[in-house]
Amino acid sequence: MTRTFVAAACVILLPVSVAAQKAPAPVEWPYYGGDQGGMKYSPLTQINRETVAQLQPAWEWKTGEQPLQQFRTTPGAFQNTPLMIDNVLYVSTPYNRVIALDAESGRELWSFDPKAYEEGMPSSGQGFVHRGVAAWRDGDRLRIFMNSRHRLFCLDARTGQPVASIGDRGSVDLGEGLIWAINKAHYANTSPPIVYEDLVIVGSGVGDRLMYRRDPPGDVRAFHSRTGKVAWTFHTIPQRGEFGNETWKNDSWMYTGHTNVWTPMALDERRGLVCLPVSTPSNDYYGGRRLGDGWFAESLVCLDAATGRRKWHFQIVHHGLWDYDPPSPPNLVTIQVNGRKIDAVVQLTKQGFAFVFDRVTGRPVWPIEERAVPRSDVPGEEVSPTQPFPTKPPAFTEQGVSLDDAFDLTPELKAEAQATMQKFRMGPLYTPPSLEGTIMRPGVWGGANWGGGTFDPETGMLYLKTVGLGGIFRIEKFDRANATGARAAEVDAEYVNRGLPAGFKDSLPLFKPPYARLVAIDLNQGTIAWRVPFGDMPDLREELARLGVNAPDRLGAQGPAGALVKKGGLIFVGGGDRAFHVVDKATGREIWSAPTEETTGTPMTYQTRSGRQFVIVATGRGAEATLVAFALPVSPPPSSSDPTPGR
């Protein structure tokens, strides 16, 4: 009897065991950019050219965040890209909360609130935004690191509770230990840290429009992940005796701040190299107080991740006056150039260039030329006589301004746009800001922005969304006594930018459409493979219809978020309009879209324990902020995986 029962049990259980063996393995998204090098690439093929037409919303999760009158705060755009580890999503919200969600259903598992709103609105122009968190395994324990304003939190991934043994009961004060004391209300973080072995490497954000002597400096630091103690510090403005200090004339290194790393970094974990896109010094548009090239401002800097020592750097803009800080996370890629395999790093820029370097040596893959640029007539200003121009790849967006660039959908509107343009200074790329006002293209949103590029390792193709509206930079003396604005009393700049939108007739852009494109760059050849208009501007379309103007099919979607490329031949991209798009990666042709709130985050994808693939994108802002999951339909639906966070 016993033997018969055991044999029968084996016969019954065998198919279940075989089925389990055949079930697809989960495919995680453990880092902000998919991998530490930020490729934003997925090998998953369940959603592909043949199946994408069946894609549909699977679940939604809303942040539920509202304006808080007692703190005078308002949540901003939902710019998050989640992590997926052990069937759990880890999300950061505009108010800097950290949420754990069931990756299959979107069910909330726990929530951590750092109460960042209690300090009032951040000083940055973007308000309350946050793009992601970082994860680290300590043996079998998973930790989540969240850099919220001037604090770094370490959370237990199982419970969402701070790990009390780290720092001060689970948090480290990032406002302490900088090269000088700061006003912590002027210090922030909007992008995730990066983890190398047992070090958490953290940049910072600052309020660019807050300009005063000894405003917050951009020191990049590594903290021990078990204790929260500082392991190393890299001074983005070299101090006395440090390499590059002499590039800051008149001892301006002693009081110039900012020069921070606000966008995500990239890590070559095998070699222990971390790549930093370093921002502009204070102030963004007038450099009379900080003469000289000013290393390491507006540079790509490669450090030894274990020690913080500089390995190499390249300054992308000398003595910047255009807020052309490198905004995009560097992409660590492997390419084939003239038959030679190169482990490279690509830095996309607001001005529309892709700078490509050997990531080990720092040598440019293709020559970079120093070319003469226009001079400035603003009193006290000394522009750099040259700026670096890569010879390959070509610029991926329009650069500079002439009357031929004017809005041209009707002859009458073109003439009106040109009349407005003639009131200001125009010229090639790097024409400096001026007292009468300079029309600049690209503007401070790019070109490229924090969404950056997504790389396909199969083809060597880098895809990115590029923006093209431009702006007007007008420099004027700063008069604190008559200045307006909530923070004007804190500014002590000699000159400030009183910028204007590059528009006419109240709401029309000065330039002809399209205002955004999706671009494919062949990094093996250093060429542009294709470049197509991307997305739409519904409000502008409505205004043009009111004026009786026929608009092109795609005006272009303004917005800084990035894209995701998949092995199944697809690019997933949003960023600015009220839709989520899927594009054929070979041609740029759109093959699917779904209506959403404004798409505000860079998408990611994963496969759960049930074998189902999901694509996730953050949408909306304020009370409408929603994380949307798309998947192929299943019948019957999979049973709940009931994950335990941090297992």
Side-chain angles (χ1 to χ4, degrees), residues 253-442:
W253 57 271
M254 297 180 68
Y255 52 77
T256 303
H258 301 183
T259 322
N260 51 302
V261 179
W262 61 266
T263 199
M265 297 168 271
L267 176 70
D268 182 332
E269 196 160 14
R270 182 172 67 86
R271 295 184 175 94
L273 301 175
V274 61
C275 294
L276 316 178
V278 183
S279 182
T280 52
S282 178
N283 93 45
D284 286 2
Y285 306 106
Y286 178 74
R289 186 186 283 181
R290 51 168 177 84
L291 300 179
D293 280 354
W295 294 358
F296 300 101
E298 292 174 296
S299 300
L300 180 63
V301 180
C302 179
L303 303 181
D304 182 322
T307 65
R309 294 192 185 97
R310 184 189 69 92
K311 304 290 284 189
W312 58 266
H313 83 282
F314 185 90
Q315 189 169 54
I316 288 168
V317 181
H318 310 315
H319 187 74
L321 302 174
W322 303 268
D323 197 12
Y324 277 164
D325 51 326
S328 305
N331 297 103
L332 303 189
V333 303
T334 299
I335 55 180
Q336 295 278 344
V337 178
N338 297 325
R340 184 167 67 96
K341 177 181 174 182
I342 302 174
D343 289 339
V345 53
V346 184
Q347 182 62 62
L348 300 174
T349 71
K350 290 180 180 178
Q351 57 267 46
F353 290 131
F355 286 87
V356 187
F357 305 95
D358 182 308
R359 79 176 83 138
V360 178
T361 66
R363 286 194 290 268
V365 171
W366 295 283
I368 298 173
E369 298 175 350
E370 289 285 336
R371 299 178 186 170
V373 295
R375 309 307 296 266
S376 173
D377 56 6
V378 175
E381 185 61 85
E382 294 180 11
V383 302
S384 171
T386 65
Q387 294 292 347
F389 286 72
T391 56
K392 282 188 174 185
F396 52 75
T397 196
E398 292 82 358
Q399 297 176 327
V401 181
S402 74
L403 290 177
D404 291 338
D405 301 316
F407 186 93
D408 63 351
L409 295 188
T410 71
E412 296 78 14
L413 289 174
K414 182 175 182 178
E416 192 170 343
Q418 289 178 331
T420 300
M421 294 170 73
Q422 288 174 315
K423 298 175 183 178
F424 302 101
R425 186 174 296 185
M426 294 174 282
L429 182 68
Y430 296 120
T431 299
S434 58
L435 298 177
E436 70 266 39
T438 298
I439 308 176
M440 230 181 68
R441 188 169 64 159

Side-chain angles (χ1 to χ4, degrees), residues 17 41 56-57 81 115 167 175 202 248 270-271 302 368 400 433 440 444 502 559 628-630 634 647:
S17 175
Y41 168 81
Q56 61 186 31
T81 298
K115 299 183 179 179
V202 184
W248 295 84
R270 182 172 67 86
R271 295 184 175 94
C302 179
I368 298 173
M440 230 181 68
V444 297
V628 183
F630 293 90
V634 294
R647 179 170 295 165

Side-chain angles (χ1 to χ4, degrees), residues 31 118 132 200 345 436 446 468 501 512 533 616 625:
Y31 306 105
E118 290 185 351
V200 185
V345 53
E436 70 266 39
K512 65 183 74 171
I616 307 290

Side-chain angles (χ1 to χ4, degrees), residues 439-519:
I439 308 176
M440 230 181 68
R441 188 169 64 159
V444 297
W445 288 103
N449 210 278
W450 57 257
T454 174
F455 180 71
D456 185 347
E458 293 183 282
T459 62
M461 208 72 73
L462 184 78
Y463 304 96
L464 71 139
K465 180 170 169 284
T466 179
V467 174
L469 273 180
I472 299 173
F473 287 5
R474 186 170 60 193
I475 300 299
E476 65 180 42
K477 268 189 170 295
F478 180 68
D479 180 1
R480 180 184 289 184
N482 297 307
T484 59
R487 299 186 182 274
E490 299 171 278
V491 173
D492 72 357
E494 296 92 338
Y495 287 87
V496 295
N497 172 41
R498 297 298 186 193
L500 300 168
F504 74 108
K505 208 176 180 66
D506 296 329
S507 59
L508 298 183
L510 279 178
F511 302 124
K512 65 183 74 171
Y515 304 111
R517 286 185 170 93
L518 198 62
V519 183

Side-chain angles (χ1 to χ4, degrees), residues 407-410 511-517 533-538 540-542 544-545 549-556:
F407 186 93
D408 63 351
L409 295 188
T410 71
F511 302 124
K512 65 183 74 171
Y515 304 111
R517 286 185 170 93
F534 170 78
D536 206 22
M537 296 175 68
L540 176 58
R541 183 170 295 279
E542 291 171 8
L544 292 173
V549 177
N550 292 323
D553 291 341
R554 296 185 183 277
L555 288 167

Side-chain angles (χ1 to χ4, degrees), residues 139 143 201 242 386 469 498 535 539 573 604 636:
R143 304 303 194 206
I201 304 171
E242 294 180 345
T386 65
L469 273 180
R498 297 298 186 193
D539 293 343
V573 59
M604 51 83 77

